[in-house]
């Protein structure tokens, strides 16, 4: 199963773009990359997912490298409410299971 | 759309009692649901995969007789923590696998269990 590696913590100034990296060097060709975030004492919230192409929605953009070994989640204009733990997940091959890594604790500073 | 609810949101019980937690998909049918537990300042740990109409599949190290899972309908899965002990105190989160899109999971708000 593909594992993910993320920095444990990051700070970002309010109003600036937050760029959260994720390494998934063992990803297989048909495995999607999913991003979720978890605000304290709540269930994880879906943000975005992708396979090969870059994706954008109302919350964020996802940039996947051409070799698919890494990706970056971009929050274009971070707000204080974006302070959370962000998880990058590659779904276990052949199943629907998610295996969570340790995530990145993003702190948006006023 | 894609809303998952859990009940109760928090529960306190005495050691030795059993506690049931419900997970419902409110606006979609979920053939597969997942149960996670999360200790303070740690990541989510997958406990089991729950399939409608069949036995749950437990992850290694999770006691199936202690954590009973029932998935009797396409919108409801339950987790029963039997003979709870203080070390079972944790945040329990369920998720449901959607049947459309690219199979993303949608998570419930979690249930905080405290065993005294």
């Amino acid at each position: 199963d593909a594992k993910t590696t993320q920095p444990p913590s990051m700070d970002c100034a309010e109003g600036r773009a937050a760029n959260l990296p994720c390494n998934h060097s063992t990803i297989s060709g048909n495995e999607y990359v999913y991003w979720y975030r978890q605000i304290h004492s709540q269930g994880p919230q879906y943000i975005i997912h992708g396979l090969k192409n870059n994706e954008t929605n109302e919350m964020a953009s996802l940039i996947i490298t051409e070799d698919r070994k890494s990706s970056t989640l971009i929050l274009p204009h971070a707000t204080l409410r974006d302070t959370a733990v962000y998880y990058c997940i590659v779904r276990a091959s052949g199943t629907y299971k998610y295996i969570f890594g340790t995530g990145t604790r993003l702190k948006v500073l006023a | 759309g894609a809303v998952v609810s859990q009940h109760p949101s928090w529960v306190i019980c005495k050691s030795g009692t059993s506690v049931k937690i419900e997970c419902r998909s409110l606006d979609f049918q979920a053939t597969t649901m997942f149960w996670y537990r999360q200790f303070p300042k740690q990541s989510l740990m997958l406990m089991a995969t729950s399939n409608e109409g069949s036995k749950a599949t437990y992850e290694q190290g999770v006691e199936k007789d202690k954590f009973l899972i029932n998935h009797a309908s396409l919108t409801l899965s339950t987790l029963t923590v039997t003979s709870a002990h203080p070390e079972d105190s944790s945040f329990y989160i369920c998720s449901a696998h959607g049947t459309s899109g690219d199979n993303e999971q949608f998570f419930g708000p979690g249930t905080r269990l405290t065993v005294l």
Side-chain angles (χ1 to χ4, degrees):
Chain A
D1 296 338
K3 290 183 64 175
T4 61
T5 305
Q6 298 175 253
S9 64
M10 291 180 65
D11 290 343
C12 176
E14 189 178 20
R16 305 298 291 267
N19 297 282
L20 293 93
C22 178
N23 180 285
H24 32 78
S25 57
T26 59
I27 193 170
S28 299
N30 60 350
E31 291 179 324
Y32 284 80
V33 179
Y34 298 83
W35 282 84
Y36 286 77
R37 71 181 182 185
Q38 186 179 28
I39 296 170
H40 183 63
S41 294
Q42 296 181 27
Q45 176 191 22
Y46 167 79
I47 301 173
I48 200 167
H49 73 279
L51 181 62
K52 297 180 189 176
N53 300 322
N54 298 338
E55 302 289 344
T56 295
N57 63 20
E58 63 278 4
M59 287 183 70
S61 295
L62 174 60
I63 309 297
I64 302 175
T65 57
E66 195 169 337
D67 63 8
R68 304 215 317 125
K69 292 185 177 183
S70 66
S71 60
T72 301
L73 178 74
I74 301 173
L75 307 178
H77 305 287
T79 71
L80 298 178
R81 289 181 298 176
D82 293 322
T83 293
V85 178
Y86 287 76
Y87 293 102
C88 163
I89 300 163
V90 175
R91 196 176 70 210
S93 179
T95 78
Y96 298 123
K97 296 196 303 186
Y98 286 171
I99 305 299
F100 279 77
T102 53
T104 295
R105 188 171 297 273
L106 174 69
K107 192 172 184 181
V108 180
L109 306 172
Chain B
V3 178
V4 176
S5 70
Q6 281 184 242
H7 178 80
S9 55
W10 60 270
V11 57
I12 301 172
C13 70
K14 292 183 178 179
S15 187
T17 60
S18 295
V19 174
K20 180 186 283 188
I21 302 170
E22 294 185 348
C23 176
R24 293 181 187 272
S25 57
L26 297 185
D27 51 2
F28 66 103
Q29 294 184 331
T31 54
T32 304
M33 290 183 172
F34 303 87
W35 287 95
Y36 300 80
R37 66 189 296 182
Q38 185 177 33
F39 293 109
K41 297 193 184 301
Q42 294 187 23
S43 185
L44 282 76
M45 185 192 79
L46 180 64
M47 299 175 67
T49 302
S50 167
N51 293 299
E52 186 265 339
S54 64
K55 290 184 179 180
T57 303
Y58 291 81
E59 295 299 304
Q60 193 171 10
V62 178
E63 299 176 59
K64 62 181 181 181
D65 294 329
K66 180 165 186 62
F67 299 100
L68 300 179
I69 292 172
N70 183 276
H71 192 158
S73 78
L74 288 172
T75 59
L76 173 64
S77 176
T78 60
L79 168 69
T80 301
V81 183
T82 62
S83 186
H85 291 284
E87 57 266 29
D88 298 322
S89 297
S90 188
F91 193 50
Y92 291 87
I93 306 170
C94 73
S95 71
H97 157 242
T99 55
S100 62
D102 294 318
N103 300 314
E104 58 267 37
Q105 291 183 24
F106 300 98
F107 287 81
T111 297
R112 183 156 307 280
L113 169 64
T114 302
V115 184
L116 302 176

